Coordinates of all heavy atoms in Angstrom, one line a residue:
I656 N 0.8 -1.2 0.0 CA 0.0 0.0 0.0 C 0.9 1.2 0.0 O 0.6 2.2 -0.7 CB -1.0 0.0 1.2 CG1 -2.0 -1.1 1.0 CG2 -1.6 1.3 1.4 CD1 -3.0 -1.3 2.1
D657 N 1.9 1.2 0.8 CA 2.8 2.4 0.8 C 3.5 2.7 -0.5 O 3.6 3.8 -0.9 CB 3.9 2.2 1.9 CG 3.3 2.2 3.3 OD1 2.2 2.8 3.5 OD2 3.9 1.6 4.2
E658 N 3.9 1.6 -1.2 CA 4.6 1.8 -2.5 C 3.7 2.4 -3.5 O 4.2 3.0 -4.5 CB 5.2 0.4 -2.9 CG 6.3 -0.1 -2.1 CD 6.9 -1.4 -2.6 OE1 6.8 -1.6 -3.8 OE2 7.5 -2.1 -1.8
A659 N 2.4 2.1 -3.5 CA 1.5 2.5 -4.5 C 1.0 3.9 -4.3 O 0.3 4.5 -5.2 CB 0.4 1.5 -4.6
N660 N 1.2 4.5 -3.1 CA 0.7 5.8 -2.8 C -0.8 5.9 -3.0 O -1.3 6.8 -3.8 CB 1.4 6.9 -3.6 CG 2.9 7.0 -3.2 OD1 3.2 7.0 -2.1 ND2 3.7 7.1 -4.2
L661 N -1.5 5.0 -2.4 CA -3.0 5.0 -2.6 C -3.7 6.0 -1.8 O -3.2 6.5 -0.7 CB -3.5 3.6 -2.1 CG -2.9 2.4 -2.8 CD1 -3.5 1.1 -2.3 CD2 -3.2 2.5 -4.3
T662 N -4.9 6.4 -2.3 CA -5.8 7.3 -1.5 C -6.4 6.6 -0.4 O -6.4 5.3 -0.4 CB -6.9 7.9 -2.5 OG1 -7.7 6.8 -2.9 CG2 -6.3 8.6 -3.7
E663 N -7.0 7.3 0.5 CA -7.7 6.6 1.6 C -8.9 5.7 1.1 O -9.1 4.6 1.6 CB -8.3 7.7 2.6 CG -7.3 8.4 3.4 CD -7.9 9.4 4.4 OE1 -9.1 9.2 4.8 OE2 -7.3 10.4 4.7
R664 N -9.6 6.2 0.1 CA -10.6 5.4 -0.5 C -10.1 4.1 -1.1 O -10.7 3.0 -0.9 CB -11.4 6.2 -1.5 CG -12.6 5.4 -2.1 CD -13.5 6.4 -2.8 NE -13.3 6.5 -4.2 CZ -13.8 7.3 -5.0 NH1 -14.7 8.2 -4.6 NH2 -13.6 7.3 -6.3
Q665 N -9.0 4.2 -1.9 CA -8.4 3.0 -2.5 C -8.0 2.0 -1.4 O -8.2 0.8 -1.5 CB -7.3 3.4 -3.4 CG -7.7 4.1 -4.6 CD -6.5 4.7 -5.4 OE1 -5.5 5.1 -4.8 NE2 -6.6 4.7 -6.7
E666 N -7.3 2.5 -0.4 CA -6.9 1.7 0.7 C -8.1 1.0 1.4 O -8.0 -0.2 1.7 CB -6.1 2.5 1.7 CG -5.5 1.6 2.8 CD -4.6 2.4 3.8 OE1 -4.1 3.5 3.4 OE2 -4.4 1.9 4.9
F667 N -9.2 1.8 1.6 CA -10.4 1.2 2.2 C -10.9 0.1 1.4 O -11.3 -1.0 1.9 CB -11.5 2.3 2.4 CG -12.8 1.8 2.9 CD1 -13.0 1.7 4.2 CD2 -13.8 1.4 2.0 CE1 -14.2 1.2 4.7 CE2 -15.0 0.9 2.4 CZ -15.2 0.8 3.8
I668 N -10.9 0.3 0.1 CA -11.5 -0.8 -0.8 C -10.6 -2.0 -0.7 O -11.1 -3.2 -0.6 CB -11.5 -0.3 -2.3 CG1 -12.7 0.8 -2.4 CG2 -11.8 -1.4 -3.3 CD1 -12.8 1.5 -3.7
I669 N -9.3 -1.9 -0.7 CA -8.4 -3.1 -0.6 C -8.6 -3.8 0.7 O -8.8 -5.0 0.7 CB -6.9 -2.7 -0.8 CG1 -6.7 -2.3 -2.3 CG2 -6.0 -3.8 -0.4 CD1 -5.3 -1.8 -2.5
R670 N -8.6 -3.0 1.8 CA -8.7 -3.6 3.1 C -10.0 -4.3 3.3 O -10.1 -5.4 3.9 CB -8.4 -2.6 4.2 CG -7.0 -2.2 4.2 CD -6.7 -1.3 5.4 NE -5.3 -0.7 5.3 CZ -4.2 -1.4 5.6 NH1 -4.3 -2.6 6.0 NH2 -3.0 -0.8 5.5
T671 N -11.1 -3.7 2.9 CA -12.4 -4.3 3.1 C -12.7 -5.5 2.2 O -13.4 -6.4 2.6 CB -13.6 -3.2 3.0 OG1 -13.4 -2.6 1.7 CG2 -13.5 -2.2 4.1
R672 N -12.1 -5.5 1.0 CA -12.2 -6.6 0.1 C -11.5 -7.8 0.8 O -12.0 -8.9 0.8 CB -11.7 -6.4 -1.3 CG -12.4 -5.4 -2.1 CD -13.8 -5.9 -2.5 NE -13.7 -7.0 -3.5 CZ -14.7 -7.8 -3.7 NH1 -15.9 -7.6 -3.2 NH2 -14.6 -8.8 -4.6
A673 N -10.4 -7.5 1.4 CA -9.6 -8.6 2.0 C -10.4 -9.1 3.3 O -10.2 -10.3 3.6 CB -8.2 -8.1 2.5
Q674 N -11.2 -8.3 3.8 CA -12.0 -8.7 5.0 C -13.3 -9.4 4.6 O -14.1 -9.9 5.4 CB -12.4 -7.5 5.8 CG -11.2 -6.9 6.5 CD -11.6 -5.5 7.2 OE1 -12.8 -5.1 7.2 NE2 -10.6 -4.9 7.7
G675 N -13.6 -9.4 3.2 CA -14.8 -10.2 2.8 C -16.0 -9.3 2.4 O -17.0 -9.8 2.1
Y676 N -15.8 -8.0 2.5 CA -16.9 -7.1 2.1 C -17.3 -7.4 0.6 O -16.4 -7.6 -0.2 CB -16.5 -5.6 2.2 CG -16.6 -5.0 3.5 CD1 -15.9 -5.6 4.6 CD2 -17.2 -3.8 3.7 CE1 -15.9 -5.1 5.9 CE2 -17.2 -3.2 5.0 CZ -16.6 -3.8 6.1 OH -16.6 -3.3 7.3
T677 N -18.5 -7.2 0.3 CA -18.9 -7.3 -1.1 C -18.8 -5.9 -1.7 O -18.7 -4.9 -1.0 CB -20.4 -7.7 -1.3 OG1 -21.3 -6.7 -0.7 CG2 -20.7 -9.1 -0.6
I678 N -18.9 -5.8 -3.0 CA -18.8 -4.5 -3.7 C -20.0 -3.6 -3.3 O -19.9 -2.4 -3.0 CB -18.7 -4.7 -5.2 CG1 -17.4 -5.3 -5.6 CG2 -18.9 -3.3 -5.9 CD1 -17.2 -5.7 -7.0
T679 N -21.1 -4.3 -3.1 CA -22.3 -3.5 -2.7 C -22.1 -3.0 -1.3 O -22.5 -1.8 -1.0 CB -23.6 -4.5 -2.7 OG1 -23.7 -5.0 -4.0 CG2 -24.8 -3.7 -2.3
E680 N -21.6 -3.7 -0.4 CA -21.3 -3.2 1.0 C -20.3 -2.1 1.0 O -20.5 -1.1 1.7 CB -20.8 -4.4 1.9 CG -21.8 -5.4 2.2 CD -21.2 -6.7 2.9 OE1 -20.0 -7.0 2.6 OE2 -21.9 -7.3 3.7
Q681 N -19.3 -2.2 0.1 CA -18.3 -1.1 0.0 C -19.0 0.2 -0.5 O -18.7 1.2 0.0 CB -17.2 -1.5 -0.9 CG -16.3 -2.6 -0.3 CD -15.2 -3.0 -1.3 OE1 -15.5 -3.3 -2.5 NE2 -14.0 -3.2 -0.8
A682 N -19.8 0.0 -1.5 CA -20.5 1.2 -2.1 C -21.4 1.9 -1.1 O -21.4 3.1 -1.0 CB -21.3 0.7 -3.3
L683 N -22.1 1.1 -0.3 CA -23.0 1.6 0.7 C -22.2 2.4 1.8 O -22.5 3.5 2.2 CB -23.8 0.5 1.4 CG -24.9 -0.1 0.5 CD1 -25.5 -1.3 1.2 CD2 -26.0 1.0 0.3
E684 N -21.1 1.8 2.2 CA -20.3 2.4 3.3 C -19.6 3.7 2.8 O -19.4 4.6 3.5 CB -19.3 1.4 3.8 CG -18.9 1.8 5.2 CD -18.4 0.6 6.0 OE1 -18.9 -0.5 6.0 OE2 -17.4 0.9 6.7
L685 N -19.2 3.7 1.5 CA -18.5 4.9 0.9 C -19.5 5.9 0.3 O -19.0 6.9 -0.1 CB -17.5 4.4 -0.2 CG -16.3 3.6 0.3 CD1 -15.6 3.0 -0.9 CD2 -15.4 4.5 1.1
H686 N -20.8 5.6 0.3 CA -21.8 6.4 -0.3 C -21.4 6.7 -1.8 O -21.5 7.8 -2.3 CB -21.9 7.8 0.4 CG -22.2 7.6 1.9 ND1 -23.4 7.2 2.4 CD2 -21.4 7.7 3.0 CE1 -23.4 7.1 3.7 NE2 -22.1 7.4 4.1
L687 N -21.1 5.6 -2.5 CA -20.8 5.6 -3.9 C -21.7 4.6 -4.6 O -22.3 3.8 -4.0 CB -19.3 5.2 -4.2 CG -18.2 6.0 -3.6 CD1 -16.9 5.4 -3.7 CD2 -18.2 7.4 -4.2
S688 N -21.7 4.7 -6.0 CA -22.4 3.7 -6.8 C -21.6 2.5 -6.9 O -20.3 2.5 -6.7 CB -22.7 4.3 -8.2 OG -21.5 4.4 -8.9
I689 N -22.2 1.4 -7.2 CA -21.5 0.1 -7.5 C -20.5 0.3 -8.6 O -19.4 -0.2 -8.6 CB -22.5 -1.0 -7.7 CG1 -23.2 -1.3 -6.4 CG2 -21.7 -2.3 -8.2 CD1 -24.3 -2.3 -6.5
D690 N -21.0 1.0 -9.7 CA -20.1 1.3 -10.8 C -18.9 2.0 -10.4 O -17.8 1.7 -11.0 CB -20.9 2.1 -11.9 CG -21.9 1.2 -12.6 OD1 -21.8 0.0 -12.6 OD2 -22.8 1.8 -13.2
Q691 N -19.0 3.0 -9.5 CA -17.8 3.8 -9.1 C -16.8 2.9 -8.4 O -15.6 2.9 -8.6 CB -18.2 5.0 -8.2 CG -17.0 5.8 -7.9 CD -16.2 6.4 -9.1 OE1 -16.8 7.0 -9.9 NE2 -14.9 6.1 -9.2
V692 N -17.3 2.0 -7.5 CA -16.4 1.1 -6.8 C -15.7 0.1 -7.8 O -14.5 -0.1 -7.7 CB -17.2 0.3 -5.7 CG1 -16.3 -0.8 -5.1 CG2 -17.8 1.2 -4.7
N693 N -16.5 -0.3 -8.8 CA -15.9 -1.2 -9.8 C -14.8 -0.4 -10.6 O -13.8 -1.0 -10.9 CB -16.9 -1.7 -10.8 CG -17.7 -2.9 -10.2 OD1 -17.2 -3.7 -9.4 ND2 -19.0 -3.0 -10.5
K694 N -15.0 0.8 -10.9 CA -14.0 1.7 -11.6 C -12.8 1.8 -10.7 O -11.6 1.7 -11.2 CB -14.5 3.0 -11.9 CG -15.5 3.0 -13.0 CD -16.1 4.4 -13.3 CE -17.2 4.4 -14.3 NZ -17.9 5.7 -14.5
D695 N -13.0 2.0 -9.4 CA -11.8 2.1 -8.5 C -11.1 0.8 -8.4 O -9.8 0.8 -8.4 CB -12.3 2.5 -7.1 CG -12.8 3.9 -6.9 OD1 -12.5 4.7 -7.9 OD2 -13.4 4.2 -5.9
I696 N -11.8 -0.3 -8.4 CA -11.1 -1.7 -8.4 C -10.3 -1.8 -9.7 O -9.2 -2.3 -9.6 CB -12.1 -2.8 -8.2 CG1 -12.7 -2.7 -6.8 CG2 -11.5 -4.2 -8.5 CD1 -13.9 -3.6 -6.5
A697 N -10.9 -1.4 -10.8 CA -10.1 -1.5 -12.1 C -8.8 -0.7 -12.0 O -7.8 -1.1 -12.5 CB -11.0 -1.1 -13.3
A698 N -8.9 0.5 -11.5 CA -7.8 1.4 -11.3 C -6.7 0.7 -10.4 O -5.5 0.8 -10.7 CB -8.2 2.8 -10.8
L699 N -7.2 0.1 -9.3 CA -6.3 -0.5 -8.4 C -5.5 -1.7 -9.0 O -4.4 -1.9 -8.7 CB -7.1 -1.0 -7.2 CG -7.5 0.0 -6.2 CD1 -8.5 -0.5 -5.2 CD2 -6.3 0.5 -5.4
K700 N -6.2 -2.4 -9.9 CA -5.6 -3.5 -10.6 C -4.4 -3.0 -11.5 O -3.4 -3.5 -11.6 CB -6.6 -4.3 -11.5 CG -7.5 -5.1 -10.7 CD -8.5 -5.8 -11.5 CE -9.5 -6.7 -10.7 NZ -10.5 -7.3 -11.6
K701 N -4.7 -1.8 -12.2 CA -3.6 -1.2 -13.0 C -2.5 -0.8 -12.1 O -1.3 -0.9 -12.5 CB -4.2 0.0 -13.8 CG -5.1 -0.5 -14.9 CD -5.7 0.7 -15.6 CE -6.7 0.3 -16.7 NZ -7.4 1.4 -17.4
I702 N -2.8 -0.1 -11.0 CA -1.7 0.3 -10.1 C -0.9 -0.9 -9.6 O 0.3 -0.9 -9.6 CB -2.3 1.1 -8.9 CG1 -2.9 2.4 -9.3 CG2 -1.3 1.3 -7.8 CD1 -3.8 3.1 -8.3
Y703 N -1.6 -2.0 -9.2 CA -0.9 -3.2 -8.8 C 0.1 -3.7 -9.8 O 1.2 -4.1 -9.5 CB -1.9 -4.3 -8.4 CG -1.3 -5.5 -7.9 CD1 -1.1 -5.7 -6.5 CD2 -0.8 -6.6 -8.7 CE1 -0.5 -6.9 -6.0 CE2 -0.2 -7.7 -8.2 CZ 0.0 -7.8 -6.9 OH 0.6 -8.9 -6.4
D704 N -0.4 -3.8 -11.1 CA 0.4 -4.3 -12.2 C 1.7 -3.5 -12.3 O 2.8 -4.0 -12.5 CB -0.3 -4.3 -13.5 CG -1.4 -5.3 -13.5 OD1 -1.4 -6.3 -12.7 OD2 -2.3 -5.2 -14.4
V705 N 1.6 -2.1 -12.2 CA 2.8 -1.3 -12.3 C 3.7 -1.5 -11.1 O 4.9 -1.7 -11.2 CB 2.4 0.2 -12.4 CG1 3.6 1.1 -12.2 CG2 1.6 0.5 -13.7
V706 N 3.2 -1.5 -9.9 CA 4.0 -1.7 -8.7 C 4.6 -3.1 -8.6 O 5.8 -3.2 -8.2 CB 3.1 -1.4 -7.4 CG1 3.9 -1.7 -6.1 CG2 2.7 0.1 -7.4
A707 N 3.9 -4.1 -9.0 CA 4.4 -5.5 -9.0 C 5.6 -5.6 -9.8 O 6.5 -6.4 -9.5 CB 3.3 -6.5 -9.4
K708 N 5.7 -4.9 -10.9 CA 6.9 -5.0 -11.8 C 8.2 -4.6 -11.0 O 9.3 -5.1 -11.3 CB 6.8 -4.2 -13.0 CG 5.8 -4.7 -14.0 CD 5.6 -3.8 -15.2 CE 4.5 -4.3 -16.1 NZ 4.3 -3.4 -17.2
E709 N 8.0 -3.6 -10.1 CA 9.2 -3.1 -9.4 C 9.4 -3.7 -8.0 O 10.4 -3.5 -7.4 CB 9.0 -1.6 -9.2 CG 8.8 -0.8 -10.5 CD 9.9 -0.8 -11.4 OE1 11.1 -0.8 -10.9 OE2 9.7 -0.9 -12.6
S710 N 8.5 -4.6 -7.6 CA 8.5 -5.2 -6.3 C 9.2 -6.5 -6.3 O 9.1 -7.3 -7.2 CB 7.1 -5.3 -5.8 OG 7.1 -6.0 -4.5
D711 N 9.9 -6.8 -5.2 CA 10.6 -8.1 -5.1 C 9.6 -9.1 -4.4 O 9.9 -10.3 -4.4 CB 11.8 -8.0 -4.2 CG 12.9 -7.2 -4.9 OD1 13.0 -7.2 -6.1 OD2 13.7 -6.6 -4.1
I712 N 8.5 -8.6 -3.8 CA 7.7 -9.5 -3.1 C 6.3 -9.7 -3.7 O 5.6 -10.7 -3.4 CB 7.5 -9.1 -1.6 CG1 6.9 -7.7 -1.5 CG2 8.8 -9.1 -0.9 CD1 6.5 -7.2 -0.1
L713 N 5.8 -8.8 -4.5 CA 4.5 -9.0 -5.1 C 4.5 -9.9 -6.3 O 5.3 -9.7 -7.3 CB 3.9 -7.6 -5.5 CG 3.6 -6.7 -4.4 CD1 3.2 -5.3 -5.0 CD2 2.5 -7.2 -3.5
P714 N 3.7 -10.9 -6.4 CA 3.6 -11.8 -7.5 C 2.8 -11.1 -8.6 O 2.0 -10.2 -8.4 CB 2.9 -13.0 -7.0 CG 2.0 -12.5 -5.9 CD 2.7 -11.3 -5.3
P715 N 3.0 -11.5 -9.9 CA 2.1 -11.0 -10.9 C 0.7 -11.3 -10.6 O 0.3 -12.4 -10.1 CB 2.6 -11.7 -12.2 CG 3.9 -12.4 -11.8 CD 3.9 -12.5 -10.4
R716 N -0.2 -10.4 -11.0 CA -1.7 -10.6 -10.8 C -2.2 -11.6 -11.7 O -1.9 -11.7 -12.9 CB -2.4 -9.2 -11.0 CG -3.8 -9.2 -10.7 CD -4.4 -7.8 -10.8 NE -4.2 -7.2 -12.0 CZ -5.0 -7.3 -13.1 NH1 -6.1 -8.1 -13.0 NH2 -4.8 -6.7 -14.2
K717 N -3.1 -12.4 -11.2 CA -3.8 -13.4 -12.1 C -4.8 -12.6 -12.9 O -5.6 -11.8 -12.3 CB -4.5 -14.5 -11.2 CG -3.7 -15.2 -10.2 CD -2.7 -16.0 -10.9 CE -1.9 -16.9 -9.8 NZ -0.6 -17.3 -10.2
K718 N -4.9 -12.8 -14.2 CA -5.7 -11.9 -15.0 C -7.0 -12.5 -15.4 O -7.9 -11.9 -16.0 CB -4.9 -11.5 -16.2 CG -3.6 -10.9 -15.8 CD -3.3 -9.7 -16.6 CE -2.0 -9.1 -16.1 NZ -1.5 -8.0 -16.6
N719 N -7.2 -13.8 -15.2 CA -8.5 -14.4 -15.5 C -8.7 -15.7 -14.6 O -7.8 -16.1 -13.8 CB -8.5 -14.8 -17.0 CG -7.4 -15.8 -17.4 OD1 -7.1 -16.8 -16.7 ND2 -6.7 -15.5 -18.5
K720 N -9.9 -16.2 -14.7 CA -10.2 -17.3 -13.8 C -9.4 -18.5 -14.0 O -9.0 -19.3 -13.1 CB -11.7 -17.7 -14.0 CG -12.7 -16.7 -13.4 CD -14.1 -17.2 -13.6 CE -15.1 -16.1 -13.0 NZ -16.5 -16.5 -13.2
R721 N -9.0 -18.8 -15.3 CA -8.1 -20.0 -15.6 C -6.8 -19.8 -14.8 O -6.3 -20.8 -14.2 CB -7.9 -20.1 -17.1 CG -7.1 -21.3 -17.4 CD -7.0 -21.5 -18.9 NE -8.2 -21.5 -19.6 CZ -8.5 -21.1 -20.8 NH1 -7.5 -20.7 -21.6 NH2 -9.7 -21.2 -21.3
E722 N -6.2 -18.7 -14.9 CA -4.9 -18.5 -14.2 C -5.1 -18.6 -12.7 O -4.3 -19.1 -12.0 CB -4.3 -17.1 -14.5 CG -3.8 -17.0 -15.9 CD -3.2 -15.6 -16.2 OE1 -3.0 -14.8 -15.2 OE2 -2.9 -15.3 -17.3
L723 N -6.2 -18.0 -12.2 CA -6.5 -18.0 -10.8 C -6.6 -19.4 -10.2 O -6.0 -19.8 -9.2 CB -7.8 -17.2 -10.5 CG -8.2 -17.1 -9.0 CD1 -7.1 -16.4 -8.2 CD2 -9.5 -16.4 -8.9
Y724 N -7.4 -20.2 -10.9 CA -7.7 -21.6 -10.4 C -6.6 -22.6 -10.7 O -6.5 -23.7 -10.2 CB -9.0 -22.1 -10.8 CG -10.1 -21.3 -10.2 CD1 -11.0 -20.5 -11.0 CD2 -10.3 -21.2 -8.9 CE1 -12.0 -19.7 -10.4 CE2 -11.3 -20.5 -8.3 CZ -12.2 -19.7 -9.1 OH -13.1 -19.0 -8.5
K725 N -5.7 -22.2 -11.6 CA -4.6 -23.1 -12.0 C -3.6 -23.3 -10.8 O -3.0 -24.3 -10.6 CB -3.8 -22.5 -13.2 CG -2.9 -23.4 -13.9 CD -2.1 -22.6 -14.9 CE -2.5 -23.0 -16.3 NZ -1.7 -22.3 -17.3
S726 N -3.5 -22.2 -10.0 CA -2.6 -22.2 -8.9 C -3.1 -23.0 -7.6 O -2.4 -23.2 -6.7 CB -2.2 -20.8 -8.5 OG -3.3 -20.1 -8.0
I727 N -4.4 -23.3 -7.7 CA -5.0 -24.0 -6.5 C -4.8 -25.5 -6.6 O -4.8 -26.1 -7.5 CB -6.5 -23.7 -6.4 CG1 -6.7 -22.2 -6.1 CG2 -7.1 -24.5 -5.3 CD1 -8.1 -21.7 -6.1

């Protein structure tokens, strides 16, 4: 989170997703539309991809369900 220089809202979205919040729950708590939360998530994925290239600890992001379930 520190390396990506995220906003408070972006950090909230990441932390609450990790805690199991749904997108609807996040939107309600942030007083945003579901579409806006989805846009923020898409932006976070782009930020992750950039930061992961420079990081020694972040793995490349899984880009589709096939890649995601292949590692299980």
Side-chain angles (χ1 to χ4, degrees):
I656 289 176
D657 292 333
E658 289 181 27
N660 296 316
L661 300 179
T662 65
E663 286 182 31
R664 185 165 93 188
Q665 290 169 327
E666 185 175 340
F667 175 85
I668 289 172
I669 287 176
R670 291 187 186 282
T671 53
R672 291 296 288 164
Q674 293 172 5
Y676 280 50
T677 65
I678 292 171
T679 303
E680 290 170 328
Q681 290 175 315
L683 286 170
E684 205 157 318
L685 290 168
H686 305 287
L687 298 172
S688 69
I689 291 171
D690 287 340
Q691 184 59 55
V692 173
N693 282 326
K694 288 177 188 176
D695 289 348
I696 291 169
L699 285 165
K700 288 177 181 180
K701 289 178 183 178
I702 292 169
Y703 182 93
D704 290 342
V705 170
V706 173
K708 289 178 186 175
E709 304 297 323
S710 174
D711 293 331
I712 60 171
L713 292 175
R716 182 173 59 84
K717 307 292 186 205
K718 305 224 177 181
N719 57 48
K720 287 182 182 179
R721 186 178 302 152
E722 287 182 14
L723 179 64
Y724 294 117
K725 197 186 250 185
S726 62
I727 295 177

